Amino acid sequence: MPFLTDLLLAATLALSLRRFILPYVVEDDIVRASAPVTMVASAVFLAALALTCADKSFWSAGVTLAGGALLAFVFDDRWPKLAVTAAAACLLAYLGMR
């Protein structure tokens, strides 16, 4: 069961990381237009980050954070609303298992 919770948190971090970091990297009107999605992604990302650091051991948190960062490069940000919704669903599933 701990492997599944680590996987859920890694997926949550990966799916919300790109949208969370976007305002810090790009300054564009598209970023301003998608501000509500970015706000939800930021809340989901920071909650998953806090839960990863608080609930996991040192090695488990490190693997979860590294896995989430690696998966963020794999996932595409073509449909940001779908990615943020999936991230929120993974976070809710993790909280349900906790």
Side-chain angles (χ1 to χ4, degrees):
M1 206 64 146
F3 176 73
L4 185 59
T5 58
D6 289 345
L7 187 64
L8 283 172
L9 279 177
T12 302
L13 290 167
L15 288 169
S16 59
L17 177 64
R18 283 187 173 210
R19 189 52 57 171
F20 170 75
I21 206 164
L22 190 64
Y24 302 109
V25 177
V26 178
E27 289 192 25
D28 197 9
D29 291 333
I30 296 171
V31 174
R32 289 186 191 107
S34 65
V37 176
T38 304
M39 288 187 324
V40 172
S42 297
V44 169
F45 177 78
L46 291 174
L49 184 65
L51 287 170
T52 300
C53 294
D55 287 351
K56 304 291 181 189
S57 67
F58 178 74
W59 295 110
S60 180
V63 168
T64 302
L65 291 172
L70 289 175
L71 283 175
F73 291 115
V74 174
F75 289 137
D76 190 16
D77 197 30
R78 216 176 295 168
W79 298 295
K81 291 180 184 177
L82 181 64
V84 172
T85 304
C90 288
L91 183 63
L92 289 175
Y94 169 78
L95 291 173
M97 290 181 162
R98 188 173 161 225

